[in-house]
Amino acid sequence: MYHFPLASEPTSGIAGWATSLVDTMGGPGAGLAIALENLFPPLPSEIILPLTGFAAGQGVISLFSALFWTTLGSVVGAVALYWIGAAFGRERMYALWDRLPLVKVSDLEKTERWFLKHGRKAIFFGRMIPIFRSLISVPAGVERMPLPIFVLFTTLGSFIWNFVLVMAGYLLGDQWDLVERYVGALSKVVLGLVVAALVVWIVRRVRARRGERQTDHV
């Protein structure tokens, strides 16, 4: 039976849930938590991974187990999303895109060409960017990136991300929550930049549509 030291054991929220999984299942529990984090991005890896590192530092699980199972969980969750994208398919994606306002099929075609050209880099680096860690797996499935290549670059990128956060929790000990504070702030910055870029893109698209209408009336 696994147990955190009582004085340091988180008992509520996501941290308490992750603690319970590791406490009950050991390394596989940490892997399950990270697999679910991939499928449901609101579950923050910046809490689960440092907490797993803290558990390793306390001797609850080994450091190897922490890194192995969290990386395996990352890959399992990413592959599940890959197959969701593959099931949705390219034709359905184009059909849906064609019905959306403010977008053009040519935009999707450009994105597709970019992904085909830079897909490996997108998967590798995307696994180390908050929020995009999960989302990047879907277009890989839609585009039917060869599964062995997808798994390879997902594993490499996931291991680096997991290693940094697990080791941070391992070294910080009962101050593991500092990782969540700083990485959580980074996640908010990334989200803010994405929202800002989306707003700018929508404004430009609306202006372009108005310009096209005015040209048609001339």
Side-chain angles (χ1 to χ4, degrees):
M1 180 68 67
Y2 299 92
H3 287 291
F4 281 105
L6 294 178
S8 304
E9 182 177 353
T11 57
S12 61
I14 293 174
W17 168 75
T19 297
S20 177
L21 282 178
V22 177
D23 194 46
T24 303
M25 302 172 61
L32 175 60
I34 286 298
L36 293 173
E37 176 265 334
N38 277 262
L39 294 171
F40 306 100
L43 293 175
S45 62
E46 57 266 29
I47 289 179
I48 299 169
L49 291 171
L51 182 59
T52 303
F54 169 61
Q58 297 297 308
V60 176
I61 56 175
S62 69
L63 186 57
F64 172 82
S65 179
L67 293 171
F68 173 80
W69 285 106
T70 55
T71 300
L72 180 61
S74 295
V75 174
V76 169
V79 170
L81 289 173
Y82 172 96
W83 284 116
I84 289 174
F88 191 77
R90 186 173 181 272
E91 293 183 1
R92 289 182 183 177
M93 179 65 74
Y94 269 86
L96 175 63
W97 193 268
D98 191 43
R99 297 174 184 173
L100 296 175
L102 304 177
V103 299
K104 297 180 179 178
V105 172
S106 60
D107 294 330
L108 183 57
E109 291 172 343
K110 291 176 183 177
T111 302
E112 184 179 19
R113 287 195 296 269
W114 181 91
F115 189 85
L116 291 174
K117 184 177 180 180
H118 303 285
R120 297 183 181 187
K121 294 179 182 178
I123 294 299
F124 177 71
F125 290 108
R127 295 301 303 175
M128 294 177 269
I129 300 176
I131 300 172
F132 292 102
R133 282 172 38 76
S134 299
L135 300 179
I136 194 63
S137 301
V138 177
V142 170
E143 298 300 333
R144 292 300 180 100
M145 171 183 276
L147 188 58
I149 293 176
F150 172 77
V151 170
L152 173 62
F153 284 91
T154 294
T155 301
L156 293 174
S158 297
F159 177 78
I160 293 173
W161 173 262
N162 293 357
F163 179 84
V164 171
L165 269 66
V166 167
M167 287 304 300
Y170 182 85
L171 296 173
L172 285 171
D174 58 7
Q175 291 184 306
W176 63 269
D177 56 323
L178 290 176
V179 181
E180 188 274 333
R181 187 180 307 173
Y182 291 107
V183 178
L186 174 62
S187 300
K188 292 178 181 178
V189 170
V190 171
L191 181 60
L193 291 174
V194 170
V195 171
L198 181 62
V199 169
V200 170
W201 180 82
I202 291 175
V203 170
R204 288 180 176 177
R205 179 64 67 195
V206 169
R207 289 178 177 176
R209 286 288 177 89
R210 288 177 179 174
E212 291 172 1
R213 291 175 182 174
Q214 291 176 355
T215 302
D216 292 339
H217 287 301
V218 174

